[in-house]
Amino acid sequence: MSSHPEATKKLLVADLHKMKAEGKKISMITAYSYPQSLIVDEAGIDIILVGDSLGMVELGYRDTVPVTMDEMLNHIKPVVKAVNRAHIVGDMPFMSYNISEEQAVTNAGILYKDGGCDSIKFEGGKEFVPIAEAIHKAGIPVFGHIGLTPQTAAMMGGFKVQGKSIDAAKSVLDDALALEAAGAFALILEAIPQQLAKIITEKVKIPTIGIGGGVHCDGQVLVLHDLLGLFKRFTPKFVKVYTDAYTSQVDAVKEFIADVQGESFPAAEHSFNMKKELVEDLKRALER
Ligand code: KIV
């Protein structure tokens, strides 16, 4: 029951391209469950990413590496059921696309066909051009993800800003151009200098969505739990925390515990009554 004015119109790739052409900024957020997706779709978000950040913020893994295809599929399905308008991107977990084009197309097909998402995303630059081409040729829209790629952060010396030297910046720009040429319809630019993100955004025709990419990207993405203050383990510099939902939820549960202990819950309005005239009859009936 979304109150969004365009609640019944699903955002497609062409709509996202039109938004870039018209200079309308694109909002994107992660969600992993039915209730989370109802909330962000109701709010009017343009793109929902069922990201492999799932592993860290919902499944308690140290990083995104252990996330499996089954876990992604199990979380994409309820998101798809909840959403009316937002474009839904399914994230390909580590090692679900890294082995061969055949493996990548098969797994992209599972998320797209069985999961029901509107496109798939995977991490990696020019070295993944054959994978992007194969998935695109199979008829599945491809969302690229370049700059800092968390699945392979260990190879990058940790969670570090990418593209800071001239050579490194050229390499990230080459990644963007190569993925666009391979058929990617949009790109995540993660943790790169805003000056580089601006150049990439001007050079590619497809929308760029920044996460630590600065204000010049065509849109911005954040992990839902970061924005809501639900993930306390660490907060990257690029995150803006909009509320402290963790503390407000702890407080609500504490209040419930106190109400139970103090017998102020359930109150009369939460309880059921028998007709007055039956109460005495009931007591007599049960005493026998
Ligand atoms: O998995 C994820 O949430 C992501 C975002 C950080 C872009 O890939």
Side-chain angles (χ1 to χ4, degrees), residues 159-175:
F159 288 82
K160 294 202 172 128
V161 178
Q162 302 296 305
K164 282 173 87 175
S165 69
I166 302 297
D167 282 351
K170 275 187 185 158
S171 175
V172 181
L173 173 60
D174 287 348
D175 288 340

Side-chain angles (χ1 to χ4, degrees), residues 189 192-202 208 212-214 216-217:
L189 303 181
I192 61 170
Q194 55 179 328
Q195 297 80 1
L196 172 60
K198 182 170 189 288
I199 292 170
I200 294 174
T201 301
E202 287 164 359
T208 61
H216 304 294
C217 297

Side-chain angles (χ1 to χ4, degrees), residues 28 30 32 49-54 64 91 121 123 145 150 188 190 211 221 223:
M28 178 169 176
T30 64
Y32 319 90
L49 168 64
V50 189
D52 65 351
S53 48
L54 163 75
T64 58
D91 216 359
K121 172 174 94 58
E123 298 179 8
H145 182 157
I188 299 274
E190 178 159 356
I211 177 160
V221 58
V223 169

Side-chain angles (χ1 to χ4, degrees), residues 29-287:
I29 203 163
T30 64
Y32 319 90
S33 73
Y34 186 81
Q36 289 166 356
S37 306
L38 286 178
I39 291 166
V40 299
D41 198 41
E42 166 95 26
I45 203 81
D46 298 316
I47 308 178
I48 294 175
L49 168 64
V50 189
D52 65 351
S53 48
L54 163 75
M56 297 173 75
V57 300
E58 289 275 317
L59 303 180
Y61 298 149
R62 188 177 35 89
D63 54 33
T64 58
V65 169
V67 176
T68 66
M69 277 292 294
D70 280 348
E71 286 166 343
M72 289 310 306
L73 200 55
N74 286 339
H75 285 266
I76 289 171
K77 284 180 178 175
V79 172
V80 170
K81 284 194 191 125
V83 169
N84 281 316
R85 176 180 176 271
H87 179 95
I88 302 168
V89 185
D91 216 359
M92 299 199 65
F94 183 55
M95 293 313 288
S96 70
Y97 58 93
N98 314 62
I99 295 170
S100 68
E101 289 153 43
E102 193 183 332
Q103 182 219 21
V105 174
T106 302
N107 284 327
I110 290 171
L111 298 189
Y112 187 70
K113 185 164 183 275
D114 302 347
C117 51
D118 303 307
S119 63
I120 62 85
K121 172 174 94 58
F122 67 80
E123 298 179 8
K126 45 190 114 33
E127 66 279 22
F128 283 92
V129 160
I131 301 288
E133 279 173 348
I135 298 174
H136 174 67
K137 274 187 198 145
I140 301 171
V142 174
F143 208 124
H145 182 157
I146 57 174
L148 175 62
T149 47
Q151 290 174 5
T152 46
M155 303 282 286
M156 299 173 149
F159 288 82
K160 294 202 172 128
V161 178
Q162 302 296 305
K164 282 173 87 175
S165 69
I166 302 297
D167 282 351
K170 275 187 185 158
S171 175
V172 181
L173 173 60
D174 287 348
D175 288 340
L177 294 171
L179 285 170
E180 180 181 38
F185 78 91
L187 291 173
I188 299 274
L189 303 181
E190 178 159 356
I192 61 170
Q194 55 179 328
Q195 297 80 1
L196 172 60
K198 182 170 189 288
I199 292 170
I200 294 174
T201 301
E202 287 164 359
K203 284 208 184 280
V204 296
K205 292 193 181 61
I206 56 178
T208 61
I209 310 292
I211 177 160
V215 75
H216 304 294
C217 297
D218 296 308
Q220 300 295 328
V221 58
L222 281 180
V223 169
L224 180 69
H225 294 52
D226 287 339
L227 175 156
L228 295 181
L230 283 172
F231 187 68
K232 300 279 189 187
R233 195 142 41 104
F234 62 89
T235 306
K237 174 182 162 71
F238 52 69
V239 167
K240 180 171 174 185
V241 183
Y242 285 81
T243 185
D244 189 352
Y246 187 94
T247 304
S248 62
Q249 290 178 54
V250 170
D251 288 348
V253 177
K254 276 186 180 166
E255 214 178 308
F256 168 68
I257 295 167
D259 281 358
V260 170
Q261 289 171 345
E263 293 185 28
S264 54
F265 177 84
E269 68 265 32
H270 310 120
S271 307
F272 303 102
N273 286 307
M274 247 182 161
K275 280 185 185 153
K276 268 191 192 141
E277 59 270 29
L278 290 182
V279 175
E280 287 308 315
D281 291 350
L282 175 72
K283 279 186 194 161
R284 274 194 297 276
L286 296 184
E287 273 162 12

